Amino acid sequence: MESRITTAARVAEIAPFHVMEVQTAARALEAAGRSVVHMEIGEPDFPTPAPVIAAAQRAIAAGDIYYTSALGLPALREAIARHYADHYGVAVPAERVIVTAGSSAALLLVLALIVNRDDRILLADPGYPCNRHFVRVLEGDPVGVPVGADTQYQLTADLVAANWNSATRGALIASPSNPTGTVVPHDEMRRIAAAVASRNGHLIVDEIYLGLTYGTRPRSVLEFAADAFVISSFSKYFNMTGWRLGWVVAPERHVRDLEKLAQNLYISPAAPSQYAALACFDPATLQILETRRRAFQARRDYLVPALRALGFGIPVMPTGGFFVYADCSAFSHDSEQFCRDVLQQAGVAITPGLDFGHYRANEHVRFAYTIAQDKLEDGVARLSRYLGH
Ligand SMILES: Cc1ncc(COP(=O)(O)O)c(C=O)c1O
């Protein structure tokens, strides 16, 4: 008999990650003996740097396994603040840095701080899918603004102005973006910050991929917008996805409220992960990470022209992260089916645009270059054969 015990309606609105379904299908093929080139996975293939693992082992051996302050270890907050000064040339007081359980928790805390029921938050479509779900869980209204190559797949000040109304509380931008790898030009970010501020709104900038920027100097919005919420993470640049550690830099007046939320939602970020992360800023670790950043850049420099030569549309060169968002309309107007076919017939796993929104999602797929160069080359060769080149 069907249960009459109900769950909250909001759950029905949370879409699963299609990429997980791709991954499950890929694993099933592998279990059946087929080889699959994984270009769907959104995390670095590099292991956590050895100095970071050693720091975690020392912390656990020393018994540093207790709850920390909800705001994070003071030494880690200081280290993150120094990182902004050393790498991005911006002075950020450590008091404004809040260490969180991944940037996922940082996004949730900030949105919980600002979103009331039915409040609108402007997001780029395509964009990182969890953001709209966070807003929905809070009973707000995530507004996906269609963006294309003409605006580097990013919101602009004009789009913010055109989509703002009295129920809009803020705009959330990821730069570099997942899935497009594109960056909001610095001057445009300045105009966006002004557009949001003049409407008494909140600007949230997800800079989780800022450390992985290629060919241009990475610049934080904190250079000029002390009032922005900046989200970041140890997951991607620091190769620590499973350690669940991120941070938010918040305007000082909001730190106390964010602390209350963190205390109640998860008490504190994981202690061993925080002790480990202290080693992220050692010169030896940063050197390892810089070598890996260059490896990602070399992969991008190979993959983008190779995909273009196959007939995928990539009108804007991605300059950050590890994703390429490609127009597949030369081959299919049903990107979900296209991904299924490519997996089954070519043995290449890629993610359909549907994971990132609605706007022309059926004509786009995401490639992740989180695999070694020789595997990328294998993937491209398989696609080439499949597409009849
Ligand atoms: C743009 C963006 N923001 C946030 C996250 C969440 O990452 P984490 O919670 O591991 O820091 C991701 C993960 O893929 C992402 O792509």
Side-chain angles (χ1 to χ4, degrees):
M1 200 177 83
E2 207 172 299
S3 168
R4 291 215 206 120
I5 305 171
T6 59
T7 53
R10 67 175 72 88
V11 180
E13 294 179 35
I14 309 294
F17 272 176
H18 292 88
V19 66
M20 294 303 176
E21 282 153 35
V22 174
Q23 243 169 58
T24 308
R27 303 273 178 236
L29 278 186
E30 286 172 322
R34 290 269 307 277
S35 92
V36 174
V37 177
H38 288 277
M39 299 174 84
E40 82 283 26
I41 295 175
E43 61 181 334
D45 49 327
F46 298 110
T48 300
V52 178
I53 292 180
Q57 286 168 334
R58 281 196 304 275
I60 292 169
D64 289 330
I65 49 77
Y66 297 98
Y67 290 141
T68 68
S69 154
L71 296 171
L73 289 176
L76 186 55
R77 299 171 71 200
E78 293 281 353
I80 293 169
R82 269 198 310 279
H83 188 66
Y84 278 101
D86 295 348
H87 284 255
Y88 304 112
V90 279
V92 176
E95 297 72 44
R96 288 180 50 202
V97 177
I98 303 168
V99 181
T100 55
S103 71
S104 302
L107 286 160
L108 189 57
L109 290 186
V110 171
L111 291 167
L113 180 83
I114 66 178
V115 174
N116 278 309
R117 178 175 298 173
D118 298 332
D119 281 353
R120 299 165 87 241
I121 297 291
L122 305 184
L123 307 164
D125 177 352
Y128 178 58
C130 300
N131 292 333
R132 62 178 190 273
H133 298 147
F134 286 140
V135 176
R136 277 312 291 144
V137 162
L138 296 162
E139 306 196 335
D141 181 9
V143 180
V145 178
V147 292
D150 55 328
T151 67
Q152 341 266 328
Y153 300 98
Q154 291 280 8
L155 292 180
T156 60
D158 287 347
L159 286 172
V160 166
N163 287 280
W164 201 279
N165 69 17
S166 59
T168 310
R169 262 339 124 236
L172 198 174
I173 290 170
S175 180
S177 141
N178 174 6
T180 64
T182 55
V183 168
V184 178
H186 204 60
D187 287 345
E188 190 62 42
M189 192 66 99
R190 204 186 282 272
R191 281 192 284 274
I192 292 172
V196 171
S198 71
R199 289 165 176 79
N200 297 320
H202 295 285
L203 177 61
I204 308 167
V205 183
D206 180 344
E207 295 185 348
I208 177 169
Y209 295 106
L210 193 63
L212 294 172
T213 299
Y214 317 119
T216 55
R217 184 167 72 84
R219 297 181 70 174
S220 171
V221 69
L222 290 167
E223 270 186 43
F224 55 82
D227 251 14
F229 292 92
V230 171
I231 307 290
S232 197
S233 180
F234 288 96
S235 288
K236 312 286 175 159
Y237 174 67
F238 296 99
N239 310 152
M240 294 181 70
T241 46
W243 301 71
R244 309 310 304 127
L245 209 59
W247 70 86
V248 51
V249 181
E252 198 163 345
R253 64 183 182 284
H254 295 306
V255 169
R256 179 69 187 129
D257 282 337
L258 290 168
E259 180 181 16
K260 279 193 310 190
L261 285 166
Q263 285 169 341
N264 284 281
L265 289 176
Y266 55 85
I267 301 185
S268 82
S273 299
Q274 294 188 70
Y275 285 102
L278 284 169
C280 282
F281 306 101
D282 293 352
T285 310
L286 291 172
Q287 207 178 343
I288 296 169
L289 296 172
E290 177 54 20
T291 307
R292 294 175 178 181
R293 188 192 64 78
R294 276 193 248 112
F296 277 125
Q297 179 164 0
R299 294 174 185 179
R300 177 206 65 161
D301 290 346
Y302 162 72
L303 185 63
V304 172
L307 292 176
R308 281 176 176 159
L310 291 180
F312 288 97
I314 308 167
V316 184
M317 183 64 158
T319 53
F322 33 62
F323 302 115
V324 180
Y325 194 62
D327 184 328
C328 63
S329 59
F331 314 115
S332 169
H333 293 274
D334 180 350
S335 58
E336 256 195 299
Q337 188 58 45
F338 180 69
C339 288
R340 262 184 238 123
D341 293 345
V342 164
L343 177 61
Q344 294 296 334
Q345 291 168 43
V348 177
I350 53 177
T351 308
L354 199 66
D355 254 355
F356 310 104
H358 303 290
Y359 179 59
R360 298 198 57 216
N362 282 336
E363 295 176 333
H364 285 83
V365 293
R366 187 191 73 176
F367 292 85
Y369 43 97
T370 49
I371 50 174
Q373 178 78 21
D374 58 330
K375 291 187 187 157
L376 282 182
E377 287 171 16
D378 185 12
V380 168
R382 291 175 185 216
L383 284 169
S384 176
R385 281 193 296 277
Y386 171 69
L387 296 169
H389 287 272

